[in-house]
Amino acid sequence: MGAIKTMKEVESALPQKKEINYIRALDKDGNPILINKEDLAQVVGELIPIATLNNNGLWDKKMTPRLVNYKSRFMVVKNVCVVNLLVSTRHAYATDNILAVVQVIYGMADDIFSVRYHYLLPKKHEAVFINLKYKKTEDKYLNLYIDSNDPVISILSVSDISCVELLDEPISEFPQDAIDAVEV
């Protein structure tokens, strides 16, 4: 057998394994180094962008579907924006669950804010409901509240997560001065 002459031949002679602790790499000066797989995963993860309408990438963890208590302050809108949400219920006793799109408009002026919703699936069962309310706070945020007779409410999608904070703060009652969202 002849001597191995090229790097390609050396690499092709190495065994392939799935259980590894370190990977050989080059530093910025071209010197060989070993990097453990956890550090490599962190470096590669930081290079992968978050998916947006303009960029391919991975979802931000804030964009995964969330479960919310049946009566809670579920969102705070912190910036001027228009946000669309997809809200779903999962009743065990009624086959006609709710799927609704919610639009939150929050503008610069004190009088430009509203919350509207529309049932995407026709509501056939009167025992199934969601109730949405909102309130502008002293610190200029917009609190969104939800109530349902379903113990499981899912926020399936948020169009612009950058201007909202998703919460799940149980409440016993809506604030007195909360405004009803408008069904359209």
Side-chain angles (χ1 to χ4, degrees), residues 161-175:
I161 197 72
S162 67
C163 65
V164 302
E165 180 181 351
L166 292 174
L167 305 170
D168 183 18
E169 295 178 356
I171 58 172
S172 57
E173 292 187 21
F174 289 127

Side-chain angles (χ1 to χ4, degrees), residues 5-166:
K5 297 179 182 177
T6 67
M7 186 58 103
K8 189 174 184 178
E9 290 173 327
V10 170
E11 288 176 348
S12 66
L14 292 173
Q16 293 186 3
K17 296 197 173 198
K18 292 182 181 182
E19 297 178 21
I20 58 170
N21 292 326
Y22 293 93
I23 297 159
R24 191 179 322 198
L26 299 175
D27 68 11
K28 65 181 180 181
D29 298 323
N31 300 317
I33 60 168
L34 291 177
I35 184 169
N36 69 38
K37 66 182 176 183
E38 289 83 12
D39 290 341
L40 178 64
Q42 181 180 350
V43 169
V44 171
E46 290 170 359
L47 295 173
I48 299 173
I50 293 174
T52 67
L53 290 175
N54 299 322
N55 295 333
N56 290 325
L58 298 177
W59 254 12
D60 187 294
K61 66 183 175 186
K62 295 184 278 186
M63 291 299 294
T64 58
R66 300 182 82 121
L67 298 178
V68 180
N69 282 306
Y70 68 97
K71 193 169 207 167
S72 67
R73 178 173 78 136
F74 76 99
M75 179 183 292
V76 175
V77 180
K78 295 186 171 190
N79 295 321
V80 172
C81 63
V82 174
V83 179
N84 296 303
L85 315 168
L86 191 58
V87 178
S88 170
T89 61
R90 187 182 68 200
H91 288 282
Y93 59 85
T95 58
D96 297 325
N97 291 318
I98 293 173
L99 182 61
V101 64
V102 179
Q103 182 180 59
V104 180
I105 299 172
Y106 184 49
M108 292 286 268
D110 285 341
D111 62 342
I112 302 178
F113 55 94
S114 69
V115 178
R116 304 181 299 180
Y117 66 99
H118 179 74
Y119 292 109
L120 295 175
L121 298 174
K123 195 172 139 187
K124 297 177 189 172
H125 199 289
E126 288 305 315
V128 179
F129 72 87
I130 61 170
N131 187 8
L132 297 167
K133 291 189 179 251
Y134 61 99
K135 177 184 174 185
K136 194 165 185 181
T137 64
E138 291 179 13
D139 53 3
K140 305 286 187 194
Y141 294 158
L142 194 66
N143 285 332
L144 272 72
Y145 303 92
I146 194 165
D147 183 17
S148 176
N149 58 342
D150 188 343
V152 180
I153 301 168
S154 298
I155 309 300
L156 302 176
S157 174
V158 179
S159 65
D160 185 357
I161 197 72
S162 67
C163 65
V164 302
E165 180 181 351
L166 292 174

